Amino acid sequence: MSEVIDTAVTALNEKISGGFDGIAKFVIGDEGAVIIDSDGARAGDDDADVTMTADADVFQSILEGETNPTAAFMTGKLTIDGDMGMAMKLASFLA
């Protein structure tokens, strides 16, 4: 597992304490994927209700609060496949 994924899992577990109602996946460039569900965040590439894809720099910027997830989506830096409502719900946790 990459250091980027390890860092992402730690950061997401801090932001989403108590888990997430649904299954979301972040695909982070060539680094791998993170699953977020009712148990929190973990490395994995399971099926999800929504999949969000961004490169490592964009993902880190979102986690650090420097980039708004909605703005990243609108500018094409973040792609979303699946349940858009769930993506918006997750974005509120990250903002």
Side-chain angles (χ1 to χ4, degrees), residues 6-90:
D6 288 338
T7 302
V9 167
T10 300
L12 286 166
N13 277 320
E14 289 173 5
K15 288 185 173 281
I16 306 172
S17 61
F20 181 70
D21 185 27
I23 303 172
K25 177 170 41 176
F26 276 110
V27 177
I28 306 170
D30 295 330
E31 301 292 334
V34 175
I35 295 292
I36 303 165
D37 60 17
S38 59
D39 295 326
R42 67 182 185 289
D45 197 15
D46 305 343
D47 288 337
D49 301 316
V50 62
T51 300
M52 292 160 282
T53 306
D55 67 30
D57 291 336
V58 170
F59 184 75
Q60 182 175 358
S61 181
I62 290 170
L63 283 180
E64 292 174 353
E66 296 171 2
T67 299
N68 180 292
T70 303
F73 172 72
M74 298 302 268
T75 58
K77 295 178 182 178
L78 173 71
T79 60
I80 299 173
D81 183 33
D83 188 332
M84 188 64 81
M86 190 169 292
M88 297 300 289
K89 183 177 172 183
L90 185 57

